[in-house]
């Protein structure tokens, strides 16, 4: 059976409740101005976050739409008789994505697209510039880093700087678990021959034949040995 509280105990609990209530009221009265400022600050932060979130959604959507337009322009013109005018149009559209929607996700993807067009136009230094910018954006992502290194190696090879191309390709070949190692080995073999290093080129081919027995490029590699 529960213990029956005396009148004294009831009054004591009531006094304690009133005391706590009074303290709460006194606290809010004493800190009213501070609490108002705190509430305003929170409201400003929330409003700012919502504004930025809404703005970024708008930027990402607009950037993606502009990117899609540029990409369609580029892929529609990927035929043997593509004209410089058509390439220039696609290039301008991709650069618009970068310039006008620089904070969007699409702007990052537009960088290697411009790099590719610059490469096709044989503007290798410009292509390298855009690929380097993209490399900085995807730093830490191994797959994107490797693809960018392959593209850069192609640019340096095309402009005659085979030593730089060898350096980039070797870094991929030296990583056994790299998904693009097979492609890099064949490119490195070709660049070694351009650089008058046939022994190293043959060494790469021998490794390729040993390690990639199911590769569709195996017959070609054997033929070059």
């Amino acid at each position: 059976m529960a213990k029956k509280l005396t009148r004294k105990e009831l009054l004591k609990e009531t006094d304690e409740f009133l005391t706590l209530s009074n303290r709460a009221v006194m606290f809010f009265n004493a800190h009213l101005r501070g609490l108002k400022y705190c509430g305003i600050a929170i409201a400003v932060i929330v409003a700012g976050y919502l504004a930025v979130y809404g703005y970024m959604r708008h930027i990402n959507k607009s950037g993606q739409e502009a990117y899609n337009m540029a990409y369609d322009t580029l892929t529609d013109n990927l035929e043997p008789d593509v004209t410089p005018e058509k390439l220039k149009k696609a290039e301008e559209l991709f650069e618009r994505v970068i310039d006008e929607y620089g904070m969007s996700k699409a702007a990052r993807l537009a960088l290697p697209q411009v790099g590719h067009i610059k490469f096709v136009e044989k503007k290798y230094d410009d292509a390298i510039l855009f690929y380097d910018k993209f490399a900085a954006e995807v730093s830490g992502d191994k797959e994107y880093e490797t693809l960018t290194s392959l593209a850069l190696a192609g640019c340096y090879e095309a402009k005659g700087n085979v030593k730089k191309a060898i350096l980039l390709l070797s870094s991929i070949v030296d990583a056994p678990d790299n998904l693009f190692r097979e492609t890099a080995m064949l490119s490195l073999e070709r660049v070694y021959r351009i650089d008058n290093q046939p022994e190293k080129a043959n060494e790469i081919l021998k490794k390729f034949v040993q390690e990639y027995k199911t590769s569709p490029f195996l017959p070609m590699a054997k033929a070059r040995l």
Side-chain angles (χ1 to χ4, degrees):
M1 184 175 179
K3 178 182 176 182
K4 186 176 180 180
L5 294 174
T6 65
R7 183 173 179 277
K8 183 177 181 181
E9 289 172 329
L10 288 171
L11 289 173
K12 181 181 179 182
E13 290 188 1
T14 302
D15 288 343
E16 289 177 351
F17 173 76
L18 291 173
T19 299
L20 288 173
S21 299
N22 289 335
R23 287 179 180 175
V25 171
M26 290 173 63
F27 174 83
F28 280 106
N29 286 335
H31 298 83
L32 183 59
R33 179 175 296 180
L35 291 170
K36 283 182 178 178
Y37 288 139
C38 182
I40 292 172
I42 292 173
V44 169
I45 291 171
V46 171
Y49 173 80
L50 292 174
V52 171
Y53 177 75
Y55 175 73
M56 289 306 300
R57 284 193 62 183
H58 169 72
I59 288 294
N60 279 323
K61 181 181 178 181
S62 299
Q64 187 62 54
E65 290 173 352
Y67 177 90
N68 291 342
M69 183 184 299
Y71 186 79
D72 290 343
T73 301
L74 178 63
T75 54
D76 287 346
N77 294 315
L78 289 181
E79 62 263 4
D81 60 341
V82 61
T83 64
E85 291 76 19
K86 291 179 179 179
L87 276 177
K88 190 64 179 177
K89 178 62 175 176
E91 180 182 337
E92 288 173 353
L93 289 171
F94 278 120
E95 288 183 334
R96 178 177 169 238
V97 177
I98 297 169
D99 294 338
E100 296 185 14
Y101 307 102
M103 296 177 66
S104 70
K105 296 176 182 178
R108 183 178 74 168
L109 298 177
L111 291 169
Q113 297 288 6
V114 177
H116 168 68
I117 295 173
K118 295 289 188 184
F119 178 85
V120 173
E121 294 174 333
K122 297 183 179 181
K123 298 176 181 178
Y124 304 122
D125 287 330
D126 291 339
I128 289 168
L129 177 65
F130 279 94
Y131 281 127
D132 279 339
K133 287 181 180 180
F134 183 67
E137 291 285 337
V138 298
S139 179
D141 188 317
K142 294 300 181 184
E143 290 188 16
Y144 274 123
E145 283 183 342
T146 300
L147 288 170
T148 307
S149 293
L150 287 170
L152 284 167
C155 291
Y156 282 110
E157 178 186 345
K159 69 174 290 188
N161 190 345
V162 291
K163 298 296 185 185
K164 183 66 175 180
I166 288 172
L167 185 63
L168 287 165
L169 293 169
S170 296
S171 66
I172 301 172
V173 173
D174 291 342
D177 59 341
N178 194 296
L179 295 175
F180 303 98
R181 184 170 180 266
E182 179 181 349
T183 302
M185 289 182 79
L186 294 175
S187 296
L188 182 59
E189 181 266 338
R190 181 186 66 253
V191 177
Y192 270 139
R193 293 195 188 280
I194 294 173
D195 197 42
N196 295 316
Q197 300 188 63
E199 299 83 4
K200 288 190 175 181
N202 288 333
E203 183 182 339
I204 289 292
L205 285 177
K206 288 176 183 178
K207 286 183 179 180
F208 185 91
V209 170
Q210 291 174 353
E211 298 178 22
Y212 296 102
K213 297 183 183 300
T214 61
S215 171
F217 302 107
L218 184 63
M220 181 189 73
K222 287 182 176 180
R224 292 180 64 84
L225 274 172

